[in-house]
Amino acid sequence: MYIGPYRFDVELRELIHIGPEKTSAFKLSNIEFLVLDQLLACRGKVVSTESMCDTFLPEVVTHQDIATAVQNIKRFLSAEHASWIEVIAKQGYLLHIHAKDRPILNRALHSVSLKNYLLCLILGIFLVIFLVMNLTTTSDIRLSVPDKIEITGSGSILVPIYASDEDRDNYHSRVKEFAQKLAKCDRQKWQRIYVAPSSNGDVLQFVMNNIADDGKACRNLKVTNVNDDWNFMDLAWLKEAGVCE
């Protein structure tokens, strides 16, 4: 479960911040864990302090204990996001609806030198050769690359890469829909766009480049917190991410 860029890990009993550059975790106490669990379960509704205290019975937990737990959680959410949890006077606490999941765009690589780009290209070629040579003898290694998809009205090509045939069956229709969205752009910036969805549907990775490359026309994007929903990739997002113009 997520609160914006913060993931509530039930098994680890942690609140994890997934940032574009680093990830940090807040280990939840028993009271903090149960308070956050109730707020998430009743997102958009006021959860009374009394009901939170009753959760701990027969252990005695006071209103001040609950308030301290909430303050600790809000402190980890930082000043930017602490307002997502609101204190409702003489009632309880409210986790706002707008504190919802949001796909996070990470521009991992904007440009590379010609030397580094060629090195990456060579390593990529070696990796493909290795996989092809070992697919027939190693059952644990699987690579599914379907036919390239031409983006209508341009010379650009979309190349999906899947970890397995099952991923291909699950995501190829969405890749085709994505290609249709790309076709609506005024101009394609890239001749080749590679897209690789994760098996769990939570991550999308893009690599974009041009055949006639000057060493700078290369971009790598990673989108996390997708939650198996590709609807956020509209025309405005494509332009913001630098996929097209």
Side-chain angles (χ1 to χ4, degrees), residues 72-104:
N72 291 339
I73 294 170
K74 288 166 68 72
R75 187 178 300 113
F76 181 73
L77 293 177
S78 73
E80 181 181 358
H81 304 112
S83 60
W84 288 345
I85 299 179
E86 183 179 353
V87 180
I88 308 299
K90 298 181 180 180
Q91 295 186 51
Y93 303 90
L94 168 70
L95 175 62
H96 285 281
I97 289 289
H98 65 251
K100 61 184 179 179
D101 303 357
R102 179 183 178 186
I104 302 170

Side-chain angles (χ1 to χ4, degrees), residues 21-222:
E21 297 181 355
K22 66 177 182 178
T23 299
S24 56
F26 174 59
K27 190 69 175 179
L28 298 164
S29 68
N30 189 44
I31 296 178
E32 292 162 352
F33 174 82
L34 291 176
V35 165
L36 190 56
D37 186 55
Q38 288 194 49
L39 289 175
L40 280 165
C42 303
R43 193 195 299 260
K45 300 178 181 178
V46 177
V47 180
S48 69
T49 307
E50 287 75 12
S51 67
M52 289 184 178
C53 292
D54 290 344
T55 304
F56 295 93
L57 291 176
E59 179 184 351
V60 177
V61 174
T62 67
H63 285 208
Q64 183 58 46
D65 293 331
I66 299 296
T68 300
V70 171
Q71 283 301 114
N72 291 339
I73 294 170
K74 288 166 68 72
R75 187 178 300 113
F76 181 73
L77 293 177
S78 73
E80 181 181 358
H81 304 112
S83 60
W84 288 345
I85 299 179
E86 183 179 353
V87 180
I88 308 299
K90 298 181 180 180
Q91 295 186 51
Y93 303 90
L94 168 70
L95 175 62
H96 285 281
I97 289 289
H98 65 251
K100 61 184 179 179
D101 303 357
R102 179 183 178 186
I104 302 170
L105 173 63
N106 176 20
R107 291 178 173 84
L109 178 63
H110 288 276
S111 63
V112 295
S113 65
L114 178 59
K115 178 181 179 181
N116 289 336
Y117 173 72
L118 291 176
L119 178 60
C120 291
L121 183 61
I122 293 171
L123 289 175
I125 293 173
F126 282 148
L127 175 61
V128 172
I129 293 174
F130 172 80
L131 289 171
V132 171
M133 292 179 64
N134 286 274
L135 281 177
T136 57
T137 58
T138 306
S139 58
D140 293 336
I141 301 178
R142 301 215 46 195
L143 180 67
S144 180
V145 183
D147 294 336
K148 300 173 183 178
I149 302 174
E150 293 186 4
I151 300 174
T152 305
S154 70
S156 300
I157 292 176
L158 178 64
V159 183
I161 300 176
Y162 308 115
S164 66
D165 290 338
E166 182 180 357
D167 285 358
R168 173 181 176 174
D169 295 338
N170 290 337
Y171 296 112
H172 197 50
S173 61
R174 300 190 198 183
V175 172
K176 289 182 177 179
E177 292 176 0
F178 179 58
Q180 293 175 355
K181 292 182 179 180
L182 288 173
K184 296 179 181 180
C185 294
D186 295 332
R187 187 178 76 85
Q188 300 296 330
K189 295 181 62 174
W190 309 100
Q191 293 174 309
R192 295 289 184 273
I193 301 175
Y194 301 85
V195 56
S198 63
S199 296
N200 63 6
D202 200 45
V203 178
L204 283 172
Q205 297 200 55
F206 299 87
V207 176
M208 296 163 283
N209 61 18
N210 293 321
I211 297 175
D213 203 330
D214 61 359
K216 295 183 179 180
C218 175
R219 176 164 292 181
N220 176 26
L221 300 178
K222 182 179 180 181

